[in-house]
Amino acid sequence: MFDFHYYTPTKVIFGRGAEGSVAALIREFGGSKVLVHYGGGSVVRTGLLKKTTDLLEAAGIPYVTLGGVVPNPRLSLVYEGIALCRKENVDFLLAVGGGSTIDSAKAIGYGAANEGDVWDFYDYKRKAAACLPIGVILTLAATGSEMSDSSVITREEGRIKRGYNSDLCRPKFAVMDPELTMTLPDYQTACGCADILMHTMERYFTNGGNMEITDALAEGLLRTVMRNAEILAEDPRNYDARAEVMWAGSLSHNGLTGCGSDGGDWMTHKLQHELGGLYDVAHGAGLTALWGSWARYVYRNCLPRFKRFALHVMGVEPAGSEEEIALKGIEAMEDFFRRIHMPTNLRELGVNATEEDLMTMAHKCAVGVGGAKGSARLLREEDMLAIYRAAL
Ligand code: NZQ
Ligand code: ZN
């Protein structure tokens, strides 16, 4: 077991109609001029944006709006948001949407609160000293960005997708109404469930420091998300299943399922970020397209964890060698991904990558992680390339 810090400062307001408390929450956290940030229009169509701005107006809180965040959020809009915040003296950011909108708000928060180019933080050139306070109305259970310390931005030039982590950007509050996720296309619901699973699995497949309590929480979370993802595939308006998945999404990425471990593996995410940067694919789908190839490449180096996963999470019978049990667990997970209509290779993801593309992604990924990364198995550029090839 490793020592750890667990920091989750986000106030969570969860349940039907929770968005009604947004103005009071902004006041509670000192906001006096708000930038309402949102995506490509789903919140306009559902009426959530209007409802939100009406609430701000009724409470006498001045605001400006900035929409247009796209999945794999772009740096150019972040620059626009920073300029708008400075011009309008914004002191609070309200993200209304999914992970892309929240991440874009976090980047704007860094840019508005620090001098210089905000990309420097994502390029690991320097660290942020501050971030504007952020609140969230969540519309998609997936990334856990509503409680996480992470923000992932894509720079158009060179199509580089990078994450920056700092406690400074953890949202002050997250409003979570499961009903708001009922307008999601089935594909996005499934992508979200996949991402939630992966945030715990990245922390689970390690070679160091596991705690029984953390494993028990992690395994319970994984089983719960799988069960409810299958319910939602049949019955997307099931409130209880929406609620289970939404809360699991936050717990999966707020640090809880990693306490005591060595920090996790994270290579499926790192490999996926290159896919997202180059092909603009949905994050959760990119993860499932790569996971099986990653797992088969690394499982022998992390056999006790893969065996435990097979037995405790996937319900594999304890018969056969350790290796056979581990492989059955991997197969069972891929079967689950197929059942919720997620891809298990790049072809199914709709990516026809050339060998040159694979080499470019492996190279960028290796540079992005500083040469080598991974706890289940340490991966270098040649390993990354082998996994991309296996995923074709
Ligand atoms: O843009 P709009 O029109 O709002 O539509 C979005 C978007 O097209 C739509 N959507 C969201 N809520 C909806 C809805 N449509 C109908 N009804 C609703 N209630 O869903 C689409 C996807 O939205 P997006 O925010 O891109 O999805 P997600 O939440 O999966 O975020 C993905 C991004 O987060 C990053 C990913 O890399 C990716 O860029 N991640 C962020 C993390 C973090 N900050 O902690 C961790 C993750 O591992 C991940 O890397
Ligand atoms: Zn993720």
Side-chain angles (χ1 to χ4, degrees):
M1 185 198 306
F2 290 86
D3 299 343
F4 62 88
H5 292 192
Y6 178 57
Y7 180 62
T8 51
T10 306
K11 179 166 182 171
V12 173
I13 308 293
F14 194 99
R16 287 189 176 91
E19 58 277 16
S21 51
V22 68
L25 287 163
I26 291 170
R27 284 261 190 258
E28 181 181 336
F29 289 100
S32 63
K33 177 82 183 265
V34 179
L35 172 67
V36 181
H37 200 33
Y38 61 97
S42 73
V43 297
V44 178
R45 289 191 296 279
T46 61
L48 179 61
L49 182 66
K50 168 97 171 51
K51 186 174 180 187
T52 303
T53 52
D54 283 353
L55 286 164
L56 297 186
E57 278 167 31
I61 300 176
Y63 65 88
V64 288
T65 60
L66 179 64
V69 181
V70 292
N72 302 308
R74 307 296 201 266
L75 183 61
S76 55
L77 190 72
V78 169
Y79 287 144
E80 212 180 300
I82 295 166
L84 186 60
C85 285
R86 295 213 165 112
K87 180 168 160 265
E88 297 285 341
N89 292 317
V90 165
D91 61 9
F92 197 94
L93 300 169
L94 180 65
V96 188
S100 294
T101 297
I102 305 168
D103 285 5
S104 182
K106 288 175 173 179
I108 292 171
Y110 287 132
N114 295 274
E115 296 300 319
D117 187 352
V118 69
W119 185 251
D120 288 352
F121 306 131
Y122 294 82
D123 212 14
Y124 317 124
K125 285 189 180 141
R126 59 193 177 104
K127 290 194 167 152
C131 184
L132 286 188
I134 296 164
V136 174
I137 300 179
L138 189 64
T139 65
L140 202 180
T143 64
S145 188
E146 66 277 7
M147 286 181 92
S148 83
D149 67 349
S150 168
S151 154
V152 188
I153 297 295
T154 297
R155 190 181 75 175
E156 290 90 331
E157 187 197 338
R159 299 204 70 121
I160 300 174
K161 184 171 178 178
R162 290 272 174 80
Y164 178 61
N165 292 56
S166 160
D167 279 334
L168 294 168
C169 79
R170 288 193 194 260
K172 301 293 177 202
F173 67 80
V175 166
M176 296 188 218
D177 176 354
E179 282 187 338
L180 295 181
T181 67
M182 288 186 186
T183 51
L184 279 166
D186 293 345
Y187 181 71
Q188 287 297 340
T189 299
C191 283
C193 291
D195 193 23
I196 293 168
L197 292 171
M198 283 303 310
H199 291 153
T200 286
M201 286 156 68
E202 296 278 23
R203 292 171 165 94
Y204 187 87
F205 291 109
T206 71
N207 268 309
N210 302 104
M211 285 177 85
E212 185 57 40
I213 178 66
T214 298
D215 283 345
L217 289 167
E219 289 160 359
L221 187 148
L222 295 175
R223 289 192 301 265
T224 302
V225 174
M226 284 195 288
R227 188 163 52 248
N228 286 285
E230 291 205 53
I231 293 172
L232 289 176
E234 295 297 316
D235 180 14
R237 296 197 63 81
N238 186 310
Y239 179 86
D240 289 344
R242 289 276 174 200
E244 298 282 356
V245 165
M246 193 171 220
W247 186 222
S250 301
L251 298 184
S252 193
H253 204 32
N254 75 356
L256 182 67
T257 59
C259 293
S261 86
D262 66 357
D265 185 86
W266 293 106
M267 275 313 299
T268 312
H269 264 76
K270 295 295 176 192
L271 292 163
Q272 196 290 320
H273 282 173
E274 300 309 325
L275 273 182
L278 204 57
Y279 300 102
D280 226 2
V281 293
H283 175 65
L287 292 171
T288 64
L290 291 169
W291 184 79
S293 300
W294 168 85
R296 285 191 178 79
Y297 195 80
V298 308
Y299 77 98
R300 284 192 192 84
N301 299 71
C302 193
L303 212 42
R305 301 298 292 170
F306 275 91
K307 180 184 169 190
R308 188 180 163 126
F309 174 77
L311 297 176
H312 290 216
V313 180
M314 303 312 299
V316 169
E317 291 296 321
S321 68
E322 271 203 315
E323 224 174 274
E324 283 166 349
I325 293 171
L327 276 173
K328 279 185 193 157
I330 295 170
E331 280 159 21
M333 192 73 210
E334 288 186 315
D335 285 345
F336 163 78
F337 288 148
R338 288 188 199 101
R339 283 202 298 281
I340 61 164
H341 313 296
M342 285 285 99
T344 54
N345 57 46
L346 294 182
R347 202 174 3 91
E348 289 169 11
L349 180 65
V351 166
N352 286 312
T354 61
E355 175 69 8
E356 200 186 337
D357 290 342
L358 301 184
M359 289 172 73
T360 303
M361 287 194 293
H363 182 66
K364 278 160 84 175
C365 189
V367 170
V369 300
K373 188 173 170 67
S375 173
R377 174 173 170 178
L378 190 69
L379 302 181
R380 298 192 166 73
E381 187 171 330
E382 60 270 26
D383 305 306
M384 298 170 195
L385 181 57
I387 292 170
Y388 282 132
R389 281 180 182 146
L392 267 179

